[in-house]
Amino acid sequence: MTDKRKTVALWIFTLGVFMSALDNGIISAALTTINSSFDVTEIQGAWGITLYTLGMAITTPIVGKLADRYGRKKLFLVEISIFALGSLLVALSPSFIWFLAARVVQSIGGGGIFIIASSFVLTVYPKEKQGRLLGMLGAVNGIASVVGPNIGSLILNATNQWHWLFTINLPIAILLVIFGIKWIDETKNPETKPLDLLGSMLLSFAIFSLMFALTNLDGAHLLASLATPSVFLWLALSFLTFTLLVKLEKSNQTKDVDSILNYDLLANKQFLLTLLMGLLSGMLIAIFVYIPSYVEHHLGVPANQAGVWMSGIGLASIVGAGMGGMLVDKLGAVKTVVVASLLSSLGFFSLAFFSHSLGWFLACSSVTGLGFGMLMGAPLSVLASKAAGKEKGSALGMLSVSRQVGLTIAPIVYASLIQTGFNQLPSKLLQVSDTSAVQQILKNNTTENMLLALLKLPDASLRESLVTAFKEVAGQAYGHMFILSGGISVVILLAAFSLGKKQSTTR
């Protein structure tokens, strides 16, 4: 493969990674609009995100193995085609059930794109270039979720229809297929072992069980809901299934099987810490889906313009990703994670307590984006690659899965926190005015519809008082989400310190 063909092929893969990750962020620009159009609650609406990330988490390692066996070019083109079909089905959704099913189809297509692109880098580029390029793919994967709301808002403002958010994928997918056929050379492993079908099924069921258990949690009565059969039984099933998976992969070491997970990596404590940080970073990605709703509900920006206010986070994330790559070269990956998590925790806690105006929001969110961008770029990919030795492909696949698991479980947790906070809304509004008009507004079953009804009240004085009360409740509801994300950033910081100590003692 010539240098020109390698470069063009890498850009095609990178655009594919950006497109598949973009759908996590672009949907946030219209999340409240979509929920309202299907007349579903915030928690029900979160399934549109959860099913997408769940499908990606399950398909990532499986498609990675299939690409190694049957060809990365072939599987990339198949994945892009399935993703385009899913996007078209989402855009044509006549009902919420159809919408959810279409998101699953999308996820099957989007799940393998990142791991195929990473495998391409590991296959055709020399070792001295792999770390930088893998970091670039990781940064694109994370940043796409942040800039998505900006793109979504532009499309929403231009069309006033959320369906167009997904049709934008179709021309991109067509171009990727055309250029992929022309410029990507086929690569695959020369020798392939039998597929680990049982391991793939166990991994899929373990992830699904965990997600289903967390979906059944009641944010208002968290401890009590943990004791309910619909939660603890599924958690137990997830734990049992994953335990069986680990034992299976251990036994596969002596067999002629292409294991879905590498047991040696699972037994590596440094690599497990990296996976933990990957999972937590995935949870941080998920919060950006809800920030446009925060801007609308707490800061009073119209729904079709809320995503535009993600510009500070988006630009800062791009700058942070570049800085993260430079810091890895100068300070090392662990110290870069420390700096990134410090900035991220500062930004999230600031959003929880200080962003009560659009100016303060831009400042706080920019700090958040800077730390987030550093974390999403090179450091975790470099840490995973170093811990893996010769098993870089498996390590990056597992890191990608851990991020997707975090992305899968986090939206339900965040949505529960937000809805729990909004449970205070009826009493707050009734304190302002216990009139029949307010009673009628409270009959709406979604937060978005309540806000729209409040904005339509003819009495200007009453409308202003009620909207102010709504914004106050919204600030508290979303504040809980930001506090949790700040805490997650602190845990990443502690994990980085622990990893640094382990590395120093093994030298």
Side-chain angles (χ1 to χ4, degrees):
M1 192 181 298
T2 64
D3 288 342
K4 180 180 180 181
R5 289 188 68 82
K6 282 196 293 187
T7 301
V8 175
L10 179 63
W11 279 109
I12 293 170
F13 281 120
T14 302
L15 182 57
V17 169
F18 181 81
M19 182 182 70
S20 65
L22 186 69
D23 260 47
N24 264 332
I26 203 169
I27 192 177
S28 66
L31 192 59
T32 55
T33 306
I34 293 172
N35 293 347
S36 179
S37 69
F38 290 124
D39 196 26
V40 296
T41 65
E42 282 81 2
I43 289 184
Q44 290 172 326
W47 274 95
I49 304 164
T50 300
L51 286 176
Y52 183 72
T53 54
L54 172 67
M56 292 186 74
I58 291 173
T59 56
T60 292
I62 297 173
V63 172
K65 295 295 183 182
L66 291 175
D68 289 342
R69 173 179 292 268
Y70 298 110
R72 297 177 182 92
K73 174 180 179 177
K74 193 182 284 87
L75 263 293
F76 178 76
L77 297 177
V78 169
E79 286 286 279
I80 293 295
S81 300
I82 295 174
F83 184 82
L85 173 62
S87 299
L88 178 62
L89 292 174
V90 171
L92 298 176
S93 297
S95 67
F96 189 60
I97 297 299
W98 178 299
F99 174 80
L100 294 180
R103 288 288 281 172
V104 172
V105 175
Q106 260 195 315
S107 71
I108 294 172
I113 294 175
F114 178 78
I115 192 63
I116 293 173
S118 299
S119 296
F120 172 81
V121 169
L122 292 170
T123 301
V124 305
Y125 281 94
K127 290 183 179 180
E128 60 269 18
K129 292 185 178 182
Q130 290 175 3
R132 177 175 58 84
L133 295 176
L134 292 173
M136 179 194 72
L137 289 176
V140 169
N141 195 40
I143 291 172
S145 299
V146 182
V147 301
N150 297 75
I151 299 173
S153 287
L154 291 174
I155 297 172
L156 206 57
N157 281 330
T159 64
N160 289 319
Q161 292 287 331
W162 64 262
H163 306 78
W164 288 101
L165 298 177
F166 300 95
T167 55
I168 192 67
N169 293 326
L170 300 179
I172 298 174
I174 291 171
L175 288 175
L176 285 173
V177 169
I178 293 172
F179 282 95
I181 292 172
K182 178 176 175 58
W183 288 98
I184 299 176
D185 291 341
E186 187 63 279
T187 60
K188 58 183 177 181
N189 291 352
E191 296 181 5
T192 55
K193 299 178 180 179
L195 289 173
D196 184 11
L197 295 177
L198 179 57
S200 300
M201 289 188 289
L202 288 174
L203 177 63
S204 301
F205 187 75
I207 295 172
F208 174 80
S209 301
L210 176 63
M211 183 277 296
F212 194 76
L214 293 173
T215 301
N216 290 324
L217 284 172
D218 183 355
H221 308 92
L222 188 60
L223 294 179
S225 64
L226 281 172
T228 59
S230 61
V231 175
F232 78 80
L233 285 179
W234 284 100
L235 282 176
L237 269 176
S238 178
F239 177 78
L240 176 62
T241 307
F242 191 76
T243 302
L244 291 173
L245 174 63
V246 172
K247 290 184 176 181
L248 174 68
E249 303 305 350
K250 184 178 181 180
S251 68
N252 281 343
Q253 287 183 301
T254 58
K255 298 177 182 178
D256 188 33
V257 176
D258 188 11
S259 298
I260 194 72
L261 296 179
N262 186 284
Y263 179 78
D264 289 336
L265 291 177
L266 291 175
N268 185 326
K269 292 182 179 179
Q270 294 184 24
F271 182 70
L272 290 179
L273 278 173
T274 304
L275 286 187
L276 172 63
M277 290 189 285
L279 184 145
L280 295 173
S281 69
M283 295 185 72
L284 294 183
I285 294 174
I287 195 174
F288 294 102
V289 172
Y290 294 98
I291 291 182
S293 299
Y294 166 79
V295 173
E296 177 193 355
H297 292 158
H298 180 58
L299 300 178
V301 176
N304 61 350
Q305 299 176 21
V308 175
W309 289 92
M310 293 284 286
S311 299
I313 300 176
L315 292 174
S317 296
I318 295 171
V319 173
M323 291 178 61
M326 292 187 291
L327 287 177
V328 168
D329 293 335
K330 292 182 179 180
L331 304 177
V334 172
K335 290 182 180 179
T336 302
V337 174
V338 170
V339 174
S341 54
L342 280 172
L343 287 171
S344 179
S345 56
L346 175 63
F348 281 122
F349 285 129
S350 298
L351 284 170
F353 298 110
F354 301 114
S355 62
H356 301 306
S357 68
L358 287 171
W360 272 103
F361 169 77
L362 274 178
C364 298
S365 62
S366 296
V367 174
T368 306
L370 192 64
F372 174 81
M374 286 184 186
L375 192 63
M376 289 299 106
L380 294 185
S381 295
V382 170
L383 286 173
S385 298
K386 285 184 177 179
K390 295 181 180 180
E391 296 291 337
K392 288 184 179 181
S394 295
L396 291 171
M398 292 167 70
L399 177 62
S400 179
V401 170
S402 70
R403 271 186 177 151
Q404 289 300 329
V405 171
L407 251 170
T408 299
I409 62 179
I412 296 297
V413 177
Y414 292 144
S416 296
L417 287 173
I418 294 168
Q419 186 153 312
T420 299
F422 272 114
N423 286 342
Q424 311 301 318
L425 183 60
S427 60
K428 189 73 174 180
L429 294 181
L430 290 173
Q431 287 177 12
V432 176
S433 175
D434 188 7
T435 62
S436 58
V438 175
Q439 295 282 359
Q440 189 64 33
I441 288 173
L442 293 176
K443 291 181 180 180
N444 288 289
N445 64 348
T446 68
T447 304
E448 180 69 9
N449 287 341
M450 286 188 195
L451 177 59
L452 293 175
L454 289 173
L455 293 173
K456 292 178 181 178
L457 287 172
D459 188 330
S461 177
L462 178 62
R463 180 176 66 245
E464 183 179 351
S465 299
L466 290 171
V467 170
T468 299
F470 180 96
K471 290 180 179 178
E472 182 180 335
V473 172
Q476 295 172 353
Y478 289 97
H480 298 152
M481 177 184 71
F482 291 132
I483 291 171
L484 175 60
S485 296
I488 290 171
S489 300
V490 171
V491 175
I492 295 175
L493 174 65
L494 296 175
F497 277 129
S498 178
L499 182 59
K501 289 182 179 179
K502 287 183 181 297
Q503 288 182 347
S504 62
T505 55
T506 54
R507 287 172 184 167

